[in-house]
Coordinates of all heavy atoms in Angstrom, one line a residue:
M9 N 110.2 79.1 99.9 CA 109.1 78.2 99.5 C 109.2 76.9 100.3 O 108.4 76.0 100.0 CB 109.3 77.8 98.0 CG 109.1 79.0 97.1 SD 107.4 79.5 96.8 CE 107.7 80.9 95.8
I10 N 110.1 76.8 101.2 CA 110.2 75.5 102.0 C 108.9 75.1 102.6 O 108.3 75.9 103.3 CB 111.3 75.7 103.1 CG1 112.7 76.0 102.4 CG2 111.4 74.5 103.9 CD1 113.7 76.5 103.3
G11 N 108.5 73.9 102.3 CA 107.3 73.4 102.9 C 106.0 73.9 102.3 O 104.9 73.4 102.7
C12 N 106.0 74.7 101.3 CA 104.7 75.2 100.7 C 104.6 74.5 99.3 O 105.5 74.7 98.5 CB 104.6 76.7 100.5 SG 103.1 77.2 99.7
R13 N 103.5 73.8 99.1 CA 103.3 73.1 97.8 C 102.3 73.8 96.9 O 101.7 73.3 96.0 CB 102.8 71.7 98.1 CG 103.8 70.8 98.8 CD 103.1 69.7 99.6 NE 102.5 70.3 100.8 CZ 101.1 70.3 101.0 NH1 100.3 69.8 100.1 NH2 100.6 70.8 102.1
H14 N 102.0 75.1 97.2 CA 100.9 75.8 96.6 C 101.4 76.9 95.6 O 100.6 77.7 95.2 CB 100.0 76.4 97.6 CG 99.5 75.4 98.6 ND1 100.1 75.2 99.8 CD2 98.5 74.5 98.5 CE1 99.5 74.2 100.4 NE2 98.5 73.8 99.6
S15 N 102.7 76.9 95.2 CA 103.1 78.0 94.3 C 102.4 78.0 93.0 O 102.3 79.0 92.3 CB 104.6 77.9 94.1 OG 104.9 76.6 93.6
M16 N 101.8 76.8 92.6 CA 101.0 76.8 91.3 C 99.7 77.5 91.4 O 99.1 77.8 90.4 CB 100.8 75.3 90.9 CG 99.7 74.6 91.6 SD 100.1 74.2 93.3 CE 101.3 72.9 93.1
T17 N 99.3 77.9 92.6 CA 98.1 78.6 92.8 C 98.3 80.1 92.7 O 97.3 80.9 92.7 CB 97.4 78.4 94.1 OG1 98.1 78.9 95.2 CG2 97.2 76.9 94.3
I18 N 99.6 80.6 92.5 CA 99.8 82.0 92.5 C 99.6 82.5 91.0 O 100.2 82.0 90.1 CB 101.3 82.3 92.9 CG1 101.5 81.9 94.3 CG2 101.6 83.8 92.7 CD1 103.0 82.0 94.8
N19 N 98.7 83.4 90.9 CA 98.3 84.0 89.6 C 98.7 85.4 89.5 O 98.8 86.1 90.5 CB 96.8 83.8 89.3 CG 96.4 82.4 89.3 OD1 97.1 81.5 88.7 ND2 95.2 82.1 89.8
D20 N 98.7 85.9 88.3 CA 98.7 87.4 88.1 C 97.3 87.8 88.2 O 96.4 87.4 87.5 CB 99.2 87.8 86.7 CG 100.7 87.6 86.6 OD1 101.4 87.8 87.6 OD2 101.2 87.3 85.5
V21 N 97.0 88.6 89.3 CA 95.6 88.9 89.5 C 95.4 90.4 89.5 O 96.3 91.2 89.6 CB 95.1 88.5 90.9 CG1 95.2 86.9 91.0 CG2 96.0 89.1 92.0
T22 N 94.1 90.8 89.2 CA 93.7 92.2 89.3 C 92.9 92.4 90.6 O 92.0 91.6 90.9 CB 92.7 92.6 88.2 OG1 93.5 92.3 86.9 CG2 92.4 94.0 88.2
P23 N 93.4 93.3 91.5 CA 92.7 93.5 92.8 C 91.2 93.7 92.6 O 90.8 94.5 91.7 CB 93.4 94.7 93.4 CG 94.7 94.7 92.8 CD 94.5 94.1 91.4
S24 N 90.3 93.0 93.4 CA 88.9 93.1 93.2 C 88.3 94.4 93.6 O 87.2 94.7 93.2 CB 88.2 92.0 94.0 OG 88.5 92.2 95.4
A25 N 89.0 95.2 94.4 CA 88.4 96.4 95.0 C 89.6 97.3 95.4 O 90.7 96.8 95.5 CB 87.5 96.2 96.1
R26 N 89.3 98.6 95.7 CA 90.3 99.5 96.2 C 90.7 99.3 97.6 O 91.7 99.7 98.1 CB 89.9 100.9 95.9 CG 89.9 101.3 94.4 CD 89.0 102.5 94.2 NE 89.5 103.7 94.8 CZ 88.8 104.5 95.6 NH1 87.5 104.2 95.8 NH2 89.3 105.5 96.2
G27 N 89.8 98.7 98.4 CA 90.0 98.3 99.8 C 89.4 97.0 100.0 O 89.1 96.3 99.1
C28 N 89.2 96.6 101.3 CA 88.6 95.3 101.6 C 87.2 95.4 101.0 O 86.3 96.2 101.4 CB 88.5 95.1 103.1 SG 87.6 93.6 103.5
E29 N 86.9 94.4 100.1 CA 85.6 94.4 99.4 C 84.4 94.4 100.4 O 83.5 95.2 100.3 CB 85.6 93.0 98.7 CG 85.4 93.2 97.2 CD 85.3 91.8 96.6 OE1 86.4 91.2 96.4 OE2 84.2 91.3 96.2
E30 N 84.5 93.5 101.4 CA 83.3 93.4 102.3 C 83.2 94.6 103.3 O 82.1 95.0 103.6 CB 83.4 92.1 103.1 CG 83.0 90.9 102.3 CD 84.3 90.2 101.7 OE1 85.4 90.8 101.7 OE2 84.1 89.1 101.1
C31 N 84.4 95.1 103.7 CA 84.4 96.2 104.7 C 83.8 97.5 104.0 O 83.1 98.3 104.6 CB 85.7 96.5 105.2 SG 86.3 95.4 106.5
L32 N 84.1 97.6 102.7 CA 83.6 98.8 101.9 C 82.1 98.7 101.9 O 81.4 99.7 102.0 CB 84.2 98.8 100.5 CG 85.6 99.3 100.4 CD1 86.2 99.1 99.0 CD2 85.8 100.8 100.8
K33 N 81.5 97.5 101.8 CA 80.1 97.4 101.7 C 79.4 97.7 103.0 O 78.3 98.3 103.0 CB 79.7 95.9 101.3 CG 79.8 95.6 99.8 CD 79.5 94.2 99.5 CE 80.1 93.8 98.2 NZ 80.4 92.3 98.2
V34 N 80.0 97.4 104.1 CA 79.3 97.6 105.4 C 79.9 98.8 106.1 O 79.4 99.2 107.2 CB 79.4 96.4 106.3 CG1 78.7 95.2 105.7 CG2 80.9 96.0 106.7
G35 N 80.9 99.5 105.6 CA 81.5 100.7 106.2 C 82.3 100.4 107.4 O 82.4 101.2 108.3
S36 N 83.0 99.2 107.4 CA 83.8 98.8 108.6 C 85.2 99.3 108.3 O 85.7 99.2 107.2 CB 83.7 97.3 108.8 OG 84.6 96.9 109.8
P37 N 86.0 99.6 109.4 CA 87.4 100.0 109.2 C 88.2 98.7 109.1 O 87.8 97.6 109.5 CB 87.7 100.7 110.5 CG 86.8 100.1 111.5 CD 85.5 99.8 110.8
W38 N 89.4 98.9 108.5 CA 90.4 97.8 108.5 C 91.8 98.4 108.9 O 92.0 99.6 108.9 CB 90.5 97.1 107.2 CG 90.9 98.0 106.1 CD1 92.2 98.4 105.8 CD2 90.1 98.6 105.1 NE1 92.2 99.2 104.7 CE2 90.9 99.4 104.2 CE3 88.7 98.6 104.8 CZ2 90.4 100.1 103.1 CZ3 88.2 99.3 103.7 CH2 89.1 100.0 102.9
V39 N 92.7 97.5 109.2 CA 94.1 97.9 109.6 C 95.0 97.7 108.4 O 95.6 98.7 107.9 CB 94.6 97.1 110.8 CG1 96.0 97.5 111.2 CG2 93.6 97.3 112.0
H40 N 95.1 96.5 107.9 CA 95.9 96.3 106.7 C 95.1 95.4 105.7 O 94.1 94.8 106.1 CB 97.2 95.5 107.0 CG 98.1 96.2 107.9 ND1 98.7 97.5 107.6 CD2 98.6 96.0 109.2 CE1 99.4 97.9 108.6 NE2 99.4 97.0 109.6
L41 N 95.6 95.4 104.4 CA 94.9 94.7 103.4 C 95.7 93.5 102.9 O 96.9 93.6 102.9 CB 94.6 95.6 102.2 CG 93.6 96.7 102.5 CD1 93.4 97.6 101.3 CD2 92.2 96.2 102.9
R42 N 95.0 92.4 102.6 CA 95.6 91.2 102.0 C 95.0 90.9 100.7 O 93.8 91.0 100.5 CB 95.4 90.0 103.0 CG 95.9 90.3 104.4 CD 97.4 90.4 104.5 NE 97.9 90.6 105.8 CZ 98.5 91.7 106.2 NH1 98.8 92.7 105.3 NH2 99.0 91.9 107.4
L43 N 95.8 90.5 99.7 CA 95.3 90.2 98.4 C 95.4 88.7 98.1 O 96.5 88.1 98.3 CB 96.2 91.0 97.4 CG 96.0 90.7 95.9 CD1 94.6 91.3 95.5 CD2 97.1 91.3 95.1
C44 N 94.3 88.1 97.7 CA 94.4 86.7 97.3 C 95.0 86.5 96.0 O 94.6 87.1 95.0 CB 92.9 86.2 97.3 SG 92.8 84.5 96.6
R45 N 96.1 85.7 95.9 CA 96.8 85.6 94.7 C 96.3 84.5 93.8 O 96.8 84.2 92.7 CB 98.3 85.3 95.0 CG 99.1 86.6 95.4 CD 99.1 87.7 94.4 NE 99.6 87.3 93.1 CZ 100.9 87.6 92.7 NH1 101.7 88.3 93.5 NH2 101.3 87.2 91.5
T46 N 95.1 83.9 94.2 CA 94.4 83.0 93.3 C 93.4 83.7 92.5 O 93.3 83.5 91.3 CB 93.7 81.9 94.1 OG1 94.7 81.2 94.9 CG2 93.0 80.9 93.2
C47 N 92.6 84.6 93.1 CA 91.5 85.2 92.4 C 91.5 86.8 92.5 O 90.7 87.4 91.8 CB 90.2 84.7 93.0 SG 89.8 85.3 94.6
G48 N 92.4 87.4 93.3 CA 92.4 88.8 93.4 C 91.5 89.5 94.4 O 91.4 90.7 94.5
H49 N 90.8 88.6 95.2 CA 90.0 89.2 96.3 C 90.9 90.0 97.3 O 91.9 89.6 97.7 CB 89.4 88.0 97.1 CG 88.7 88.4 98.3 ND1 89.3 88.5 99.6 CD2 87.4 88.8 98.5 CE1 88.4 88.9 100.5 NE2 87.2 89.0 99.9
V50 N 90.4 91.2 97.6 CA 91.0 92.0 98.6 C 90.3 91.9 99.9 O 89.1 92.2 100.0 CB 91.1 93.5 98.1 CG1 91.8 94.4 99.2 CG2 91.8 93.6 96.8
G51 N 91.0 91.5 100.9 CA 90.4 91.4 102.3 C 91.2 92.0 103.3 O 92.4 92.4 103.1
C52 N 90.7 92.1 104.5 CA 91.4 92.8 105.6 C 92.1 91.7 106.5 O 91.8 90.6 106.5 CB 90.5 93.7 106.4 SG 89.0 92.9 107.0
C53 N 93.2 92.2 107.2 CA 94.1 91.3 107.9 C 93.5 90.9 109.3 O 92.4 91.4 109.6 CB 95.4 92.0 108.2 SG 95.2 93.4 109.4
D54 N 94.2 90.0 110.0 CA 93.7 89.5 111.2 C 93.7 90.5 112.4 O 93.1 90.3 113.4 CB 94.4 88.3 111.6 CG 94.0 87.0 110.9 OD1 93.0 87.2 110.1 OD2 94.6 86.0 111.0
Q55 N 94.3 91.7 112.2 CA 94.2 92.7 113.2 C 93.0 93.6 113.0 O 92.7 94.5 113.8 CB 95.5 93.6 113.2 CG 96.7 93.0 113.8 CD 97.5 92.2 112.7 OE1 97.8 92.7 111.7 NE2 97.7 90.9 113.0
S56 N 92.3 93.4 111.8 CA 91.1 94.2 111.5 C 89.9 93.5 112.2 O 90.0 92.3 112.5 CB 90.9 94.2 110.0 OG 92.1 94.7 109.4
P57 N 88.9 94.2 112.5 CA 87.8 93.7 113.3 C 87.1 92.5 112.6 O 86.7 91.5 113.2 CB 86.8 94.8 113.4 CG 87.5 96.1 113.1 CD 88.7 95.7 112.3
L58 N 87.0 92.5 111.3 CA 86.2 91.5 110.6 C 87.0 90.4 109.9 O 86.4 89.4 109.4 CB 85.2 92.2 109.6 CG 84.2 93.1 110.3 CD1 83.3 93.8 109.3 CD2 83.4 92.4 111.4
R59 N 88.3 90.6 109.8 CA 89.2 89.5 109.3 C 88.7 88.9 107.9 O 88.6 87.6 107.9 CB 89.4 88.4 110.3 CG 89.9 89.0 111.6 CD 90.0 87.8 112.6 NE 90.5 88.4 113.9 CZ 90.9 87.6 114.9 NH1 90.9 86.3 114.8 NH2 91.4 88.1 116.0
H60 N 88.5 89.7 107.0 CA 87.9 89.1 105.7 C 88.9 88.3 104.9 O 88.4 87.5 104.1 CB 87.3 90.3 104.9 CG 86.0 90.8 105.5 ND1 85.8 92.1 105.8 CD2 84.9 90.1 105.8 CE1 84.6 92.3 106.3 NE2 84.0 91.1 106.3
A61 N 90.2 88.6 105.0 CA 91.1 87.8 104.2 C 91.1 86.3 104.7 O 91.1 85.4 103.9 CB 92.5 88.3 104.3
T62 N 91.1 86.1 106.0 CA 91.0 84.8 106.6 C 89.6 84.1 106.3 O 89.6 83.0 105.9 CB 91.2 84.8 108.1 OG1 92.6 85.3 108.3 CG2 91.2 83.4 108.7
A63 N 88.6 84.9 106.3 CA 87.2 84.4 106.0 C 87.2 84.0 104.5 O 86.6 83.0 104.2 CB 86.2 85.5 106.2
H64 N 87.9 84.7 103.7 CA 87.9 84.3 102.3 C 88.7 83.0 102.1 O 88.2 82.1 101.3 CB 88.7 85.4 101.4 CG 88.8 85.1 100.0 ND1 87.8 85.1 99.1 CD2 89.9 84.7 99.3 CE1 88.2 84.8 97.9 NE2 89.5 84.5 98.0
F65 N 89.7 82.8 102.8 CA 90.4 81.5 102.8 C 89.5 80.4 103.2 O 89.4 79.3 102.6 CB 91.7 81.5 103.6 CG 92.2 80.1 103.9 CD1 92.7 79.4 102.9 CD2 92.2 79.6 105.2 CE1 93.2 78.1 103.1 CE2 92.6 78.3 105.4 CZ 93.1 77.5 104.4
H66 N 88.8 80.6 104.3 CA 87.9 79.5 104.8 C 86.8 79.2 103.8 O 86.3 78.1 103.7 CB 87.3 79.9 106.2 CG 88.4 79.8 107.3 ND1 89.0 78.6 107.5 CD2 88.8 80.7 108.1 CE1 89.9 78.8 108.5 NE2 89.8 80.1 108.9
A67 N 86.3 80.3 103.1 CA 85.2 80.1 102.2 C 85.7 79.4 100.9 O 84.9 78.7 100.2 CB 84.5 81.4 101.9
T68 N 86.9 79.7 100.4 CA 87.3 79.3 99.1 C 88.5 78.4 99.1 O 88.8 77.7 98.1 CB 87.8 80.6 98.3 OG1 88.9 81.1 98.9 CG2 86.7 81.6 98.2
H69 N 89.2 78.3 100.2 CA 90.5 77.5 100.3 C 91.5 78.0 99.3 O 92.4 77.2 98.9 CB 90.2 76.0 100.1 CG 89.3 75.5 101.2 ND1 88.0 75.1 101.0 CD2 89.5 75.4 102.5 CE1 87.5 74.7 102.1 NE2 88.3 74.9 103.1
H70 N 91.5 79.3 98.9 CA 92.6 79.8 98.2 C 93.7 80.1 99.2 O 93.6 80.8 100.1 CB 92.2 81.2 97.5 CG 91.1 81.0 96.5 ND1 90.4 82.1 96.0 CD2 90.7 79.9 95.8 CE1 89.5 81.7 95.1 NE2 89.7 80.4 94.9
P71 N 94.9 79.4 99.0 CA 95.9 79.4 100.1 C 96.8 80.6 100.2 O 97.3 80.8 101.3 CB 96.7 78.1 99.7 CG 96.6 78.0 98.2 CD 95.2 78.5 97.9
I72 N 97.0 81.3 99.1 CA 98.1 82.3 99.2 C 97.6 83.7 99.1 O 96.9 84.1 98.2 CB 99.1 82.0 98.0 CG1 99.5 80.6 98.0 CG2 100.3 83.0 98.1 CD1 100.9 80.2 98.2
I73 N 98.1 84.5 100.1 CA 97.8 85.9 100.1 C 99.1 86.7 100.0 O 100.2 86.2 100.3 CB 97.0 86.4 101.3 CG1 97.8 85.9 102.6 CG2 95.6 85.9 101.3 CD1 97.3 86.7 103.9
E74 N 99.0 88.0 99.6 CA 100.1 88.9 99.5 C 99.8 90.1 100.4 O 98.6 90.5 100.5 CB 100.2 89.4 98.0 CG 101.3 90.5 97.8 CD 101.3 90.9 96.3 OE1 100.8 90.1 95.5 OE2 101.9 91.9 96.0
G75 N 100.8 90.6 101.0 CA 100.7 91.9 101.8 C 100.4 93.0 100.8 O 101.3 93.3 100.0
Y76 N 99.2 93.6 100.8 CA 98.8 94.5 99.7 C 98.8 95.9 100.2 O 99.1 96.8 99.4 CB 97.4 94.1 99.3 CG 96.8 94.9 98.2 CD1 97.5 94.9 96.9 CD2 95.7 95.7 98.3 CE1 97.0 95.7 95.9 CE2 95.2 96.5 97.3 CZ 95.8 96.4 96.1 OH 95.3 97.2 95.1
D77 N 98.5 96.2 101.4 CA 98.5 97.6 101.9 C 99.0 97.5 103.4 O 98.3 97.1 104.3 CB 97.1 98.2 101.9 CG 97.1 99.6 102.5 OD1 98.0 100.3 102.2 OD2 96.3 99.8 103.4
P78 N 100.2 98.0 103.7 CA 101.1 98.5 102.7 C 101.7 97.4 101.8 O 101.7 96.2 102.1 CB 102.3 99.1 103.6 CG 102.2 98.2 104.8 CD 100.7 97.9 105.0
P79 N 102.1 97.8 100.5 CA 102.7 96.8 99.6 C 104.0 96.3 100.0 O 105.0 96.9 99.8 CB 102.7 97.5 98.3 CG 102.9 99.0 98.7 CD 102.2 99.2 100.0
E80 N 104.0 95.2 100.7 CA 105.3 94.7 101.3 C 106.0 93.6 100.5 O 107.1 93.3 100.8 CB 105.0 94.2 102.7 CG 104.6 95.4 103.7 CD 103.9 95.0 104.9 OE1 103.1 94.0 104.9 OE2 104.1 95.7 105.9
G81 N 105.2 93.0 99.6 CA 105.9 92.1 98.7 C 106.0 90.7 99.2 O 106.5 89.8 98.6
W82 N 105.5 90.4 100.5 CA 105.7 89.1 101.0 C 104.4 88.3 100.7 O 103.3 88.8 100.4 CB 105.9 89.1 102.5 CG 105.0 90.0 103.3 CD1 105.2 91.2 103.7 CD2 103.6 89.6 103.7 NE1 104.1 91.7 104.4 CE2 103.1 90.7 104.4 CE3 102.8 88.5 103.6 CZ2 101.8 90.7 105.0 CZ3 101.6 88.5 104.2 CH2 101.1 89.6 104.8
G83 N 104.5 87.0 100.8 CA 103.4 86.1 100.7 C 103.2 85.3 101.9 O 104.1 85.1 102.7
W84 N 102.0 84.8 102.1 CA 101.7 83.9 103.2 C 100.8 82.8 102.7 O 99.8 83.0 102.0 CB 101.0 84.7 104.3 CG 100.4 83.9 105.4 CD1 99.1 83.5 105.6 CD2 101.2 83.4 106.6 NE1 99.0 82.8 106.8 CE2 100.2 82.7 107.4 CE3 102.5 83.5 107.0 CZ2 100.6 82.1 108.6 CZ3 102.9 82.9 108.2 CH2 102.0 82.2 108.9
C85 N 101.1 81.6 103.1 CA 100.3 80.4 102.8 C 99.5 80.0 104.0 O 100.1 79.6 105.0 CB 101.1 79.2 102.3 SG 100.1 77.8 101.9
Y86 N 98.2 80.1 103.9 CA 97.3 79.7 105.1 C 97.4 78.3 105.4 O 97.3 77.8 106.5 CB 95.9 80.1 104.8 CG 95.5 81.5 104.9 CD1 95.2 82.3 103.8 CD2 95.4 82.1 106.2 CE1 94.8 83.6 104.0 CE2 95.0 83.4 106.4 CZ 94.7 84.2 105.3 OH 94.3 85.5 105.4
V87 N 97.5 77.4 104.3 CA 97.5 76.0 104.6 C 98.8 75.6 105.3 O 98.7 74.8 106.3 CB 97.4 75.2 103.2 CG1 97.5 73.7 103.5 CG2 96.1 75.6 102.5
D88 N 99.9 76.0 104.9 CA 101.2 75.7 105.5 C 101.6 76.6 106.6 O 102.6 76.3 107.4 CB 102.3 75.7 104.4 CG 102.0 74.6 103.4 OD1 101.8 73.5 103.7 OD2 102.0 75.0 102.2
E89 N 100.9 77.7 106.8 CA 101.2 78.7 107.8 C 102.6 79.1 107.7 O 103.4 79.0 108.7 CB 100.8 78.2 109.2 CG 99.3 77.9 109.4 CD 98.9 77.6 110.8 OE1 99.7 77.0 111.5 OE2 97.8 78.0 111.1
A90 N 103.0 79.5 106.5 CA 104.4 79.8 106.3 C 104.5 81.1 105.4 O 103.7 81.3 104.5 CB 105.1 78.7 105.6
M91 N 105.5 81.9 105.6 CA 105.9 83.0 104.7 C 106.5 82.4 103.5 O 107.3 81.5 103.6 CB 106.9 83.9 105.4 CG 106.5 84.6 106.7 SD 105.1 85.8 106.5 CE 105.9 87.0 105.5
I92 N 106.1 83.0 102.3 CA 106.7 82.5 101.1 C 107.2 83.6 100.3 O 106.8 84.8 100.5 CB 105.7 81.7 100.3 CG1 104.5 82.5 100.0 CG2 105.3 80.4 101.0 CD1 103.6 81.9 98.9
D93 N 108.1 83.3 99.3 CA 108.6 84.4 98.4 C 107.7 84.4 97.2 O 107.4 83.3 96.6 CB 110.0 84.0 98.0 CG 111.0 84.2 99.1 OD1 110.8 85.1 99.9 OD2 111.9 83.4 99.2
L94 N 107.1 85.5 96.9 CA 106.3 85.7 95.7 C 107.2 86.0 94.5 O 108.2 86.6 94.6 CB 105.3 86.8 95.8 CG 104.2 86.5 96.9 CD1 103.4 87.8 97.1 CD2 103.3 85.4 96.5
P95 N 106.8 85.5 93.3 CA 107.6 85.8 92.1 C 107.5 87.3 91.7 O 108.4 87.8 90.9 CB 107.0 84.9 91.0 CG 105.6 84.6 91.5 CD 105.7 84.7 93.0
D96 N 106.5 88.0 92.1 CA 106.4 89.4 91.7 C 105.5 90.0 92.8 O 105.0 89.4 93.7 CB 105.7 89.5 90.4 CG 104.4 88.7 90.3 OD1 103.8 88.4 91.3 OD2 104.1 88.3 89.1
Q97 N 105.2 91.3 92.6 CA 104.4 92.1 93.5 C 103.3 92.7 92.7 O 103.5 93.3 91.7 CB 105.2 93.1 94.2 CG 104.5 93.8 95.4 CD 105.5 94.7 96.1 OE1 106.7 94.4 96.2 NE2 105.0 95.8 96.7
T98 N 102.0 92.6 93.2 CA 100.9 93.2 92.5 C 100.8 94.7 92.7 O 100.9 95.2 93.9 CB 99.6 92.5 93.0 OG1 99.7 91.1 92.9 CG2 98.4 93.0 92.2
A99 N 100.7 95.4 91.7 CA 100.5 96.9 91.8 C 99.2 97.3 92.4 O 98.2 96.6 92.2 CB 100.6 97.5 90.4
Q100 N 99.2 98.3 93.3 CA 98.0 98.7 93.9 C 97.2 99.5 92.9 O 97.7 100.3 92.1 CB 98.3 99.7 95.1 CG 98.9 98.9 96.3 CD 99.0 99.8 97.5 OE1 99.0 101.0 97.4 NE2 99.1 99.2 98.7
L101 N 95.8 99.4 93.1 CA 94.9 100.3 92.4 C 94.8 101.5 93.4 O 94.3 101.4 94.5 CB 93.5 99.7 92.3 CG 93.4 98.4 91.5 CD1 91.9 97.9 91.6 CD2 93.8 98.6 90.1
T102 N 95.4 102.6 93.0 CA 95.4 103.7 93.9 C 94.3 104.7 93.6 O 93.8 104.7 92.5 CB 96.7 104.5 93.8 OG1 96.9 104.8 92.4 CG2 97.9 103.6 94.3
P103 N 93.8 105.5 94.5 CA 94.3 105.5 95.9 C 93.5 104.5 96.8 O 92.4 104.2 96.5 CB 94.0 106.9 96.4 CG 92.8 107.3 95.6 CD 92.9 106.6 94.3
I104 N 94.1 104.0 97.8 CA 93.5 103.1 98.7 C 92.8 103.9 99.8 O 93.4 104.8 100.4 CB 94.4 102.1 99.3 CG1 94.8 101.1 98.3 CG2 93.8 101.4 100.5 CD1 95.8 100.0 98.7
P105 N 91.4 103.7 99.9 CA 90.7 104.5 101.0 C 91.3 104.2 102.3 O 91.7 103.0 102.6 CB 89.3 104.1 100.8 CG 89.2 103.0 99.8 CD 90.6 102.8 99.2
R106 N 91.2 105.1 103.2 CA 91.8 105.0 104.6 C 90.7 105.1 105.6 O 90.0 106.1 105.6 CB 92.8 106.1 104.8 CG 94.1 105.8 104.3 CD 95.0 105.1 105.3 NE 96.0 104.3 104.7 CZ 96.3 103.1 105.1 NH1 95.6 102.5 106.1 NH2 97.2 102.4 104.5
Y107 N 90.6 104.1 106.4 CA 89.6 104.2 107.5 C 90.3 104.3 108.9 O 89.6 104.6 109.9 CB 88.6 103.0 107.5 CG 87.6 103.1 106.4 CD1 87.9 102.5 105.1 CD2 86.5 103.8 106.5 CE1 87.0 102.6 104.1 CE2 85.6 103.9 105.5 CZ 85.8 103.3 104.3 OH 84.9 103.4 103.3
V108 N 91.6 103.9 108.9 CA 92.2 103.9 110.2 C 93.4 104.9 110.2 O 94.1 104.9 109.2 CB 92.7 102.5 110.6 CG1 93.4 102.5 111.9 CG2 91.6 101.5 110.6
Ligands
ZN84 ZN1 101.3 76.2 100.8
ZN85 ZN1 87.3 93.5 105.7
ZN86 ZN1 90.6 84.0 96.4

């Protein structure tokens, strides 16, 4: 948690969708999924074409995401650009659809 002041924004969340919410709407592929630990938004990572997790941060300023697919249990703070330890890991709503 060194350098991150946003641990109070970490909530127990319910994932908003089985895959990236926006990619599912437009039929776009993604590489990995990121879960917003403030509101539960599921978005795709920066290796994905549309980068919806980062877009969600810019739109909402929710700072903390979790590696959701694969479920890796790490957290990332966009504001501090730092890996953080999460107090827990969010269970996946299975199955996660696969586009790649
Ligand atoms: Zn932070
Ligand atoms: Zn996406
Ligand atoms: Zn959010």
Side-chain angles (χ1 to χ4, degrees):
M9 297 278 176
I10 296 163
C12 178
R13 296 155 285 114
H14 303 95
S15 56
M16 78 292 287
T17 69
I18 298 174
N19 296 322
D20 286 326
V21 295
T22 302
S24 62
R26 289 161 62 231
C28 173
E29 238 182 285
E30 285 93 350
C31 282
L32 284 172
K33 280 179 201 151
V34 298
S36 176
W38 63 75
V39 180
H40 297 299
L41 296 175
R42 305 291 180 244
L43 174 70
C44 173
R45 285 300 301 260
T46 301
C47 72
H49 172 270
V50 179
C52 51
C53 70
D54 282 355
Q55 285 86 55
S56 305
L58 299 178
R59 303 181 180 189
H60 286 122
T62 298
H64 177 72
F65 164 67
H66 287 303
T68 63
H69 300 109
H70 294 163
I72 308 241
I73 52 163
E74 175 179 342
Y76 181 63
D77 175 49
E80 292 162 327
W82 51 262
W84 171 261
C85 177
Y86 280 112
V87 176
D88 297 305
E89 299 189 326
M91 301 292 295
I92 59 166
D93 292 320
L94 294 172
D96 53 23
Q97 190 171 329
T98 306
Q100 288 189 340
L101 301 176
T102 55
I104 287 181
R106 276 271 154 223
Y107 286 94
V108 180

